[in-house]
Amino acid sequence: MIKKVLIANRGEIAVRVMRSCYEMGIRTVAVFSEADRSSRHVMYADEAECIGPASSSDSYLCIDNIIAAAKKHKADAIHPGYGFLSENPAFARRCAKEGIIFIGPSPETMERMGDKIQARRTMIEAGVPVVPGTCEMLPSAEEAVRVCSEIGYPVMIKASMGGGGKGMRVARTADEVPLMYEAARSEAISSFGDGTVYIEKFVESPHHIEIQILGDKHGNVVHLFDRECSVQRRHQKIVEESPSPFIDDSTRKAMGEAAVAAARHVGYVGAGTIEFLVDGRQNFYFLEMNTRLQVEHPVTEEVCGMDLVKQQIRIASGEALSFRQEDIRQRGHAIECRICAEDADNGFRPSPGLIKQLIEPQGNGVRIDSYIYEGYEIPVHYDPMVGKLIVHASRRDYAIERMRRALYEYKITGLTTNMGYLRRIIDVPQFKNGCYDTSFVEANADRLAARKGYHNDAEDMALIAAYLDYLMNYEENTSDTRDDSALSRWRSFGLQKGVLRI
Ligand code: MV4
């Protein structure tokens, strides 16, 4: 029985994990850096321990300090969240050595999936489709040219220890290969200390679709269907949804089965994600396996009606899954928007600062996983994501309307966030009709940019009129004298412009 969990993380995910712990009667221990003393995950925990200075490498990435905190507070288990040490096999191994349960898969599985060449080999063994390419390391640029010409152009040269877009280059002709080979290699060496690269056929404008899986210690494996994650910018996801509006039910079924086969083949224990590239004709190829809980897990929770953190904890305690594949259904549609303290109009520069005012959306089908509060100062040292807005509705079009409503209800002042950018995304026709792939953000860059000089005089006048209309009629009420049609026209205009919130 797990009685106390230390959360080796910060921010919204630390709070998210604690919520499930409390519902299970489990005590929580927060760890925090000196920059995080006033962070909500520290207030929310039963116990808390400072593990070092602001710099992540001296605190949230410091295995010794985290283990020391776990021992001091007598934690039975550690939940790593995402990022930081969540996919670090050395950390999982150290937990085992110290007699602490690591809430996640075995270090061997993490190692196997962390090495992309090994992961590709494993998936081929498991009968899961991979992108055509190599499963050996390439000793030289000349060898790379030979292999690429066999595969056919364009190709992608990728770092074996990479992932998330680092150490990756496209070569469209044989001439480009030596340069791209060296570029991928040197980036891999400087980022991962390992210059091993491999080659894949380049899939043009793919969809990024992933399958959530759960495996227990008794050999049971199920999948929790798909998440569409194609709204990305520089390998950072911005909006995710489940189910994917792109794939049909037969592809969905085949991807689910492939993901289960993959997890079974490695004896996967815990929650994991199999990422696939899906081309325009719905051919899918294994890309990577993530051996952690992901940022976008809530959309799966909403449609499957499941708490993934509770499942992780039950699995780690040795319990068998209490449901079979046939018991899991996708109900309705869920969308998540990542709220970030960054300036989308100025190159997505991080813009940390003091939260002056915070009004969060509420109501039917709205969920917020966040950690900020009024008066909180977002530290400069960590990820700019301050929270996630998740909506659930019976259908995709209703979910989009709900997301739109919630994004206009949301108010964060004192710093710049990407709220305006998110509001623009949900109004892009390709997003609305579900016809988008990973080229979406780039392809719609003009539409998504906050246009300078957009507010011309006529529009400013209209905004002022909308606001006066709102003040005079809406608040004063007297429904017998109010011109409802004019009011609603001004209101919807004001809402559209982001001036009115209700
Ligand atoms: C690819 C690809 C096309 N063909 N591999 C980007 C992140 C890393 N996990 C793998 N990535 C890609 N691999 C082949 N063979 C295109 C991408 C890619 C991408 C993938 C998923 C989501 C967004 C992306 C944006 C650019 C490139």
Side-chain angles (χ1 to χ4, degrees), residues 231 238-239 337 342-348 400 403-404 407-408 416-432 440-441 444-452 454-455 495-498:
V231 182
I238 305 170
V239 179
C337 284
E342 59 189 20
D343 188 351
D345 306 330
N346 284 295
F348 291 81
I400 292 174
M403 180 57 84
R404 191 166 195 290
L407 284 169
Y408 280 95
T416 309
T417 70
N418 65 341
M419 203 72 72
Y421 189 77
L422 292 168
R423 288 171 184 167
R424 294 194 289 273
I425 285 180
I426 55 148
D427 281 341
V428 175
Q430 283 112 297
F431 182 78
K432 271 213 161 107
F440 173 83
V441 166
N444 291 285
D446 283 354
R447 238 205 109 116
L448 292 173
R451 275 180 286 164
K452 294 220 164 63
Y454 185 58
H455 291 277
L495 280 169
Q496 242 171 50
K497 298 298 168 194

Side-chain angles (χ1 to χ4, degrees), residues 34-51:
E34 282 162 15
D36 267 343
R37 282 185 192 282
S38 58
S39 194
R40 202 161 92 186
H41 79 279
V42 181
M43 303 177 205
Y44 195 59
D46 289 319
E47 301 164 34
E49 192 68 31
C50 183
I51 50 164

Side-chain angles (χ1 to χ4, degrees), residues 209-230:
I209 302 175
E210 56 192 31
I211 305 283
Q212 177 71 52
I213 61 107
L214 287 175
D216 66 18
K217 292 181 180 173
H218 307 269
N220 304 302
V221 179
V222 296
H223 71 80
L224 280 73
F225 296 97
D226 53 299
R227 293 188 286 258
E228 173 71 66
C229 305
S230 295

Side-chain angles (χ1 to χ4, degrees), residues 12 24 29 57 82 133 161 174 228 234 237 274 327 342 347 349-350 354 372 392 444 459-460 478 489-490 497 502:
E12 70 85 18
M24 297 172 87
V29 184
S57 49
Y82 51 68
M161 298 313 288
E228 173 71 66
R234 301 204 178 160
K237 295 168 189 161
I274 319 275
D327 303 327
E342 59 189 20
R349 257 207 316 262
L354 185 75
I372 58 172
H392 185 213
N444 291 285
E459 281 179 341
D460 281 348
T478 58
R489 263 186 287 118
W490 285 122
K497 298 298 168 194
I502 47 174

